[in-house]
Amino acid sequence: MNAMRTASLGLAAVCAAAAAAAAAPTRAAAAPSGGSLCSVARGVAADIVHSTSFASNRVTPTKLRIVYTKVVAAEPALRSAASGGIKADLTPVLGWINVLVGDLKKAGWQTSRMLPYYHSLATGAERITPQITALRTYFRSTCKLPV
């Protein structure tokens, strides 16, 4: 019973992470000043940074699909525009988002059906926490994006 409760709480946290990313603002308030990565990331920076956040926001499957489809669509341009250390931070985060999107697709974009994917998602989210922090700092300080 305790293991089931722990799994349920963990699944809720992963689902909340997806909800937080979907609920995050996606438009920048100020023009970016750090070059092409900032320009490319403008519409998805907050979604990327909040992809592993934990919040209690409730979102629809349609909103999840819109947010993550937009991030995946921006991926080639993001990878192309990134260089050096920030590319090293961006790569595993985009990889995790791709896994999350794949699992959401398998679950019909219904967070209530995500239990089979919980363990790998939670492990992956924990593993990329330092990269998320680095991206948040980069988007805030270099790009001047409100993430």
Side-chain angles (χ1 to χ4, degrees):
M1 182 78 167
N2 192 22
M4 183 60 149
R5 180 172 174 245
T6 302
S8 295
L9 290 173
L11 176 63
V14 169
C15 293
T26 58
R27 293 186 357 214
S33 62
S36 64
L37 177 58
C38 294
S39 297
V40 171
R42 172 180 268 204
V44 295
D47 301 322
I48 292 169
V49 168
H50 296 291
S51 63
T52 61
S53 297
F54 302 105
S56 60
N57 301 21
R58 311 243 324 133
V59 297
T60 65
T62 301
K63 178 69 174 170
L64 284 173
R65 189 178 308 116
I66 289 168
V67 167
Y68 285 112
T69 300
K70 183 174 58 169
V71 172
V72 170
E75 181 178 354
L78 290 165
R79 288 182 186 270
S80 177
S83 63
I86 201 64
K87 187 170 194 162
D89 292 323
L90 184 63
T91 299
V93 172
L94 291 174
W96 184 85
I97 289 172
N98 283 323
V99 170
L100 175 63
V101 168
D103 291 347
L104 282 165
K105 285 179 181 179
K106 290 179 214 169
W109 296 93
Q110 300 288 331
T111 56
S112 61
R113 298 181 190 158
M114 293 292 290
L115 186 59
Y117 314 107
Y118 161 70
H119 182 70
S120 65
L121 288 174
T123 301
E126 186 175 322
R127 193 176 309 127
I128 63 167
T129 298
Q131 289 83 7
I132 290 283
T133 301
L135 288 171
R136 179 180 294 113
T137 300
Y138 180 85
F139 291 144
R140 282 182 179 164
S141 63
T142 302
C143 302
K144 308 296 186 226
L145 297 174
V147 294

